[in-house]
Each structure stands twice: as structure tokens, then as C-alpha cells.
Amino acid sequence: MFVLKKKWNAKSYLEQYYTLRNLSRDEVLLFKYLNSFLEEFPLNYFKDFIDFGSGPTVHRLIPFVPYVKNIYVSDYLHQNLNEIKLWIKDEKKGHDWDPQIKHILMVENKEKNNSTISNRELSLRKEELRNKVKGLIACNIFNKKPLSIKKRFDILASFYCADSIVSSKKEWENAMENMFRLVKPGGWVILSALRNTIKYKVGNTYFPSANVNERDMHRVLLKNGFDSQTINVKIIPAFDWVKEGIKSLMILKARKKYGTHKKKN
């Protein structure tokens, strides 16, 4: 975490990964996966949702907006939360997410045989997201109580978080255990992670990755009380990010069992 805090630059990250006018190919597949999961539920089905370890990004919140009542966003770094705050307040200094959000909505509509997006649709989704965000919360995934508030959630999403800040599977497993404490019994997790990757590049700096794969994910989910019948993992090629050191990606969903405790070793 010290390396991350000392060397991380939120604006450099956004410039490197999120200045394309369209979503990258891996992100298109990720959003298709999210849409497929969320469409199983009625609108506003989930009360409390958190994006844990959000980084400086807001675009992955977009698919969840119609299905959740309250949105919380958490990150360890103040500069990441500040970038999100700038966007929520519609400040000129905030990152322009409109191209990505529009493409996300196009992917969403294409599933419904309508890929056109009006400016009104774009504005309405952005406004709804801003209205549903109830808090920007400091977090530390290495603490047994990883949030600065006492709360658990009906659905937790975490995209490229625990796997992208540690160099060992042991550290990763401990971090995941802490994060899973935030999920209510019967609640869902949506996770994405770098797969078979030991480091990745932001600007001229390399950051560690835990070199995890789908077998590691299954193991840590089962250990922490998730229902094996609900675990679903999709492997995604790295496509344009191979030169950054990323070998491949994965996204998954899983539901926590009711009234069960973590398995003991």
C-alpha cells in the first residue's frame, strides 16, 4: 500500500486507460456480463450497494444505477475519491466520462435491440447516479473493519482492487476476507481481477499484482461462505493491455450463504 500511496497518480491513470472515445474491448465484455447479471432482478431491487476500491472511476457504477437504491463509493486514496467528487459535483476539473457512459448505455440498449442513445438518456442516467450516491467513504482493505463506517451491503462490487495492490496470494486472500465481511448474508459480490499477472504499468511505474486465477477465486469465495452453485467466472482477454503487463482478466459473481460462517482451515 505504501508504494501505491507514494507513486499512484489518479490523473495519469485516467489519461492512460480512460481517454478513448469508446470502451476498450475488455470493458465491453465486462459490461455485457454486468447487464446479464443485473437483468435477473427487478428495478431498485437492492437497497445498499458499494463499489469497494473504486479508484478514480465512476463509469462502472452506471449499470447498477437502475437496480439499487443507495450507492456508496469507497477507496483508500483521497486523490481517487476527490476525482469522483469532482465528477459528482459536475466540476469542470472532473474527468469527462460522457463517451464511456454513452457507450455503456449503448451496450445496455443493444441487449434490448436498440443501440441508439439520446443526449436525454445520457443526462438522465448521470443525474440518477449523482442522486443515488450517498457517500464517498475511506477504506483500507487490510483492516478487519475495512470501512470508516459501520455498514454491510446487499451487493458489493470490486473491480481490479485487492489483486492490483499486493504481490502475494496470501496478502490477497487476507484482503479479500476483510472485504467479504461487508457483504450481508444472502448478498452478492461482483468482482473483476487481473488474471495470471504479476505487475501492470501506469505511466512509467509498475505496480504489483497477486498473480491470481479462477481457481484462487473459487477457493477464497468458498472459504468465506459463498454458495458454490452461484459462483460464475468469465475469462476475458487482455486485448489492448498486454503491453502494460496484463496477461488476462476475469469477472465473476457469487452469492453469500444465509446464516453460515467462514470455513475454518
Side-chain angles (χ1 to χ4, degrees):
M1 284 292 258
F2 175 76
V3 174
L4 181 69
K5 191 170 185 178
K6 184 178 180 181
K7 296 186 176 182
W8 183 262
N9 185 295
K11 289 194 179 296
S12 293
Y13 175 77
L14 291 173
E15 288 171 7
Q16 183 168 349
Y17 288 94
Y18 296 108
T19 53
L20 299 173
R21 302 308 295 174
N22 292 313
L23 296 171
S24 59
R25 288 179 287 177
D26 59 286
E27 290 255 280
V28 170
L29 294 177
L30 181 146
F31 284 107
K32 285 183 176 181
Y33 186 97
L34 292 179
N35 292 337
S36 177
F37 165 72
L38 290 166
E39 286 170 1
E40 297 175 12
F41 304 95
L43 299 180
N44 290 307
Y45 179 81
F46 299 100
K47 181 183 177 184
D48 294 319
F49 162 78
I50 188 168
D51 183 358
F52 189 93
S54 63
T57 66
V58 301
H59 68 306
R60 296 192 192 100
L61 300 173
I62 290 295
F64 295 93
V65 172
Y67 297 93
V68 302
K69 295 177 181 177
N70 303 310
I71 295 174
Y72 298 83
V73 185
S74 67
D75 201 78
Y76 175 71
L77 295 177
H78 175 76
Q79 60 174 301
N80 286 341
L81 292 177
N82 189 57
E83 285 293 332
I84 295 169
K85 186 177 180 180
L86 289 173
W87 185 86
I88 290 173
K89 291 191 171 184
D90 204 12
E91 299 278 355
K92 289 183 179 180
K93 292 182 180 179
H95 186 74
D96 179 15
W97 287 105
D98 281 11
Q100 284 83 9
I101 294 175
K102 192 168 186 177
H103 197 176
I104 291 164
L105 295 177
M106 287 175 65
V107 172
E108 190 176 295
N109 277 10
K110 195 171 184 179
E111 306 282 314
K112 303 170 186 174
N113 299 316
N114 177 19
S115 61
T116 59
I117 297 296
S118 67
N119 288 334
R120 177 171 170 75
E121 286 178 282
L122 175 63
S123 296
L124 285 174
R125 184 63 67 90
K126 288 162 56 180
E127 181 182 5
E128 189 177 6
L129 171 54
R130 287 177 168 127
N131 289 336
K132 286 190 174 183
V133 173
K134 305 305 180 184
L136 304 180
I137 308 169
C139 68
N140 187 335
I141 202 170
F142 297 112
N143 293 339
K144 289 189 175 181
K145 295 180 180 179
L147 283 187
S148 56
I149 64 170
K150 186 178 180 180
K151 192 171 182 63
R152 290 200 294 175
F153 299 88
D154 303 286
I155 182 168
L156 177 149
S158 188
F159 301 99
Y160 311 112
C161 176
D163 60 287
S164 300
I165 57 174
V166 298
S167 56
S168 75
K169 289 186 180 182
K170 181 62 177 176
E171 291 176 294
W172 170 79
E173 187 171 324
N174 290 339
M176 295 288 278
E177 180 179 327
N178 293 335
M179 183 177 69
F180 289 148
R181 291 191 177 97
L182 300 175
V183 183
K184 293 178 182 178
W188 287 88
V189 292
I190 296 287
L191 308 173
S192 68
L194 306 182
R195 177 176 177 267
N196 295 332
T197 297
I198 60 172
K199 62 182 180 179
Y200 64 99
K201 192 176 184 181
V202 177
N204 295 318
T205 303
Y206 278 98
F207 292 90
S209 186
N211 194 24
V212 295
N213 57 39
E214 58 275 22
R215 293 182 297 278
D216 299 311
M217 280 291 189
H218 271 92
R219 177 173 50 79
V220 77
L221 286 164
L222 294 176
K223 182 180 177 182
N224 285 277
F226 286 83
D227 184 350
S228 62
Q229 298 301 311
T230 66
I231 299 173
N232 175 271
V233 182
K234 180 179 178 64
I235 308 303
I236 299 176
F239 292 121
D240 305 319
W241 309 122
V242 174
K243 62 182 183 299
E244 269 77 22
I246 299 171
K247 304 301 182 185
S248 58
L249 312 164
M250 54 185 169
I251 183 167
L252 65 91
K253 64 179 180 179
R255 191 179 195 184
K256 202 173 196 180
K257 293 179 181 178
Y258 286 96
T260 58
H261 298 283
K262 184 188 74 170
K263 290 182 179 180
K264 294 182 179 180
N265 292 329

